[in-house]
Amino acid sequence: MKSFLILEDGTVFEGQNVGSTQDVISEIVFNTSMTGYLEVLTDPSYAGQAVVMTYPLIGNYGITPDMESKKPWPMGYVVRELSRIPSNFRSEGTIQDFLQKNNIHGITGIDTRALTKILREKGTMNGLFTVNENYNLDEIIPKLKEYHTGDVVSKVTCKEKSILKGNGKKVALLDLGAKKNIAKSLNERGCEVVIYPAHTTAEEILNSNPDGIMLSNGPGDPKDCKTIIEEIKKLYNSDIPIFAICLGHQLMALATGADTHKMKYGHRGGNHPVKDLATGRVYISSQNHGYVVDTDTLDEKIAKPAFVNVNDGTNEGLSYVGKNIFTVQFHPEACPGPQDSSYLFDRFIDMMGGEK
């Protein structure tokens, strides 16, 4: 069956449909990872978006148990070629079946290189997935321009508190759309992780007397999280060590008076070099974000840049002055390189006073 991806600039791509046949409008972004497509599909940070995979062949090792959440979140999925027969002893099925089962509109057989070039040159834009060959651009384009992802954090966060048992430090994890591996990375270091829904009050978290607080990754525009930012202000004013990742990093910056802005096309992939400004060491990082902290708006008495993106010079982390708080834009719980940044979890453990 034919399927079409229509961009808000009027560009139309024609391919073959896989998965759902329902019409879907979403923000179109691209990811440069060569592997890890299942982690991409199940990353809550993609809620409200559709993902274009730049690597030309996707699905060769099938669907494995390596999911970052209980369900996939992208509204659409675009690839050049899907592997018809996956080869992996851990495979539990094909991407085609996975997209169909989870009602995600997928397109294969289009020129993803050309599509990515458009998004790089013109910036991220919205698009419509449809199997209707009689589409009307004059009707569709105004709808595309009106689309906004909105409050997607409320859609992806957990519904109730849960606990991952451990014998070490007690960490309160605010789930803004947390990838499973964040709690796992803490738990592997002995921590008891108490996972809270995104709209939990600061008072409830602080009254539980945690040794540390983790603010997770998540989707959408950080400025849409107004009530959460107010609660994070209260967490900042406590003396409890805080470690924040991705959206959590942006929200802590907003809570302390800095600003964020939308990037032209964002950072999404497993190959982004970031430099630790304290040591000069460069790490290969996994990233998924479309917004960035504006370092020109930082109050140097409150926070200082701690990491920088080697490719474009954008901020990748902050260290807070006089506070046991540090935040990063990238994903230290992922493993994109041989010297990846999981040591940041060890730094967080040290901030909490080390092992009990």
Side-chain angles (χ1 to χ4, degrees):
M1 180 185 296
K2 288 182 180 180
S3 189
F4 303 90
L5 170 58
I6 303 170
L7 301 180
E8 65 179 89
D9 70 348
T11 304
V12 180
F13 288 89
E14 178 182 329
Q16 290 77 50
N17 173 261
V18 286
S20 169
T21 58
Q22 66 179 0
D23 284 7
V24 173
I25 292 178
S26 65
E27 185 178 52
I28 313 297
V29 300
F30 64 87
N31 186 297
T32 58
S33 298
M34 296 173 67
T35 61
Y37 52 79
L38 185 59
E39 288 87 342
V40 170
L41 279 167
T42 55
D43 183 347
S45 294
Y46 283 111
Q49 298 176 326
V51 185
V52 180
M53 300 300 292
T54 63
Y55 191 69
L57 178 64
I58 298 295
N60 57 313
Y61 55 86
I63 296 298
T64 62
D66 308 310
M67 296 177 65
E68 285 292 350
S69 61
K70 294 180 180 179
K71 58 170 283 188
W73 292 102
M75 300 170 69
Y77 198 60
V78 185
V79 300
R80 177 68 183 90
E81 180 183 353
L82 275 179
S83 177
R84 291 176 297 168
I85 305 175
S87 178
N88 183 350
F89 73 97
R90 299 172 71 238
S91 177
E92 300 174 347
T94 66
I95 284 192
Q96 292 91 322
D97 291 339
F98 186 75
L99 295 175
Q100 183 71 46
K101 177 182 177 182
N102 290 284
N103 202 34
I104 298 173
H105 194 131
I107 296 181
T108 183
I110 75 167
D111 188 344
T112 51
R113 187 183 183 94
L115 173 54
T116 301
K117 188 174 181 180
I118 290 173
L119 297 177
R120 281 179 58 89
E121 291 180 349
K122 296 185 178 181
T124 297
M125 63 181 80
N126 298 328
L128 167 71
F129 293 87
T130 184
V131 295
N132 180 13
E133 297 186 42
N134 299 315
Y135 56 82
N136 185 326
L137 288 179
D138 292 335
E139 294 180 359
I140 292 170
I141 291 177
K143 295 179 181 179
L144 293 179
K145 291 182 181 295
E146 292 173 1
Y147 175 79
H148 186 265
T149 56
D151 178 17
V152 276
V153 169
S154 295
K155 295 179 181 179
V156 302
T157 188
C158 60
K159 304 306 178 187
E160 57 186 20
K161 183 176 74 173
S162 62
I163 300 176
L164 203 57
K165 293 291 186 180
N167 297 317
K169 297 295 184 180
K170 181 180 177 182
V171 177
L173 170 57
L174 189 63
D175 177 11
L176 306 168
K179 293 168 64 179
K180 182 175 65 176
N181 215 27
I182 293 178
K184 181 182 177 183
S185 295
L186 291 167
N187 193 238
E188 286 176 344
R189 289 164 171 80
C191 295
E192 176 173 293
V193 185
V194 184
I195 305 169
Y196 291 90
H199 295 285
T200 303
T201 64
E203 286 77 12
E204 180 178 346
I205 293 173
L206 295 174
N207 287 340
S208 70
N209 295 314
D211 296 302
I213 298 170
M214 169 71 74
L215 307 179
S216 82
N217 64 293
D221 185 341
K223 292 179 182 177
D224 286 338
C225 302
K226 293 180 175 60
T227 59
I228 299 174
I229 291 171
E230 292 304 311
E231 298 305 312
I232 290 177
K233 288 180 181 179
K234 301 173 187 176
L235 298 177
Y236 170 83
N237 288 325
S238 73
D239 293 324
I240 299 174
I242 299 175
F243 179 22
I245 293 173
C246 199
L247 178 63
H249 154 78
Q250 298 164 4
L251 296 181
M252 179 59 75
L254 289 169
T256 53
D259 197 10
T260 59
H261 64 261
K262 189 171 185 176
M263 306 174 77
K264 186 175 182 180
Y265 49 81
H267 295 158
R268 297 175 181 88
N271 55 355
H272 290 265
V274 296
K275 184 177 182 179
D276 186 333
L277 296 177
T279 64
R281 192 171 184 178
V282 174
Y283 298 88
I284 299 300
S285 70
S286 175
Q287 303 202 12
N288 174 15
H289 64 106
Y291 294 82
V292 67
V293 174
D294 187 345
T295 53
D296 291 337
T297 65
L298 287 177
D299 183 341
E300 61 181 15
K301 295 179 181 178
I302 295 177
K304 295 181 179 180
F307 288 88
V308 65
N309 189 289
V310 177
N311 287 337
D312 61 13
T314 54
N315 179 256
E316 292 286 357
L318 297 172
S319 177
Y320 284 77
V321 180
K323 292 279 188 177
N324 278 329
I325 300 175
F326 73 99
T327 68
V328 293
Q329 181 61 75
F330 52 96
H331 287 270
E333 81 285 352
C335 304
Q339 296 179 334
D340 54 77
S341 49
S342 62
Y343 75 94
L344 294 172
F345 286 100
D346 298 321
R347 181 191 292 184
F348 184 43
I349 301 295
D350 291 340
M351 284 170 52
M352 292 186 287
E355 297 181 1
K356 283 187 177 178

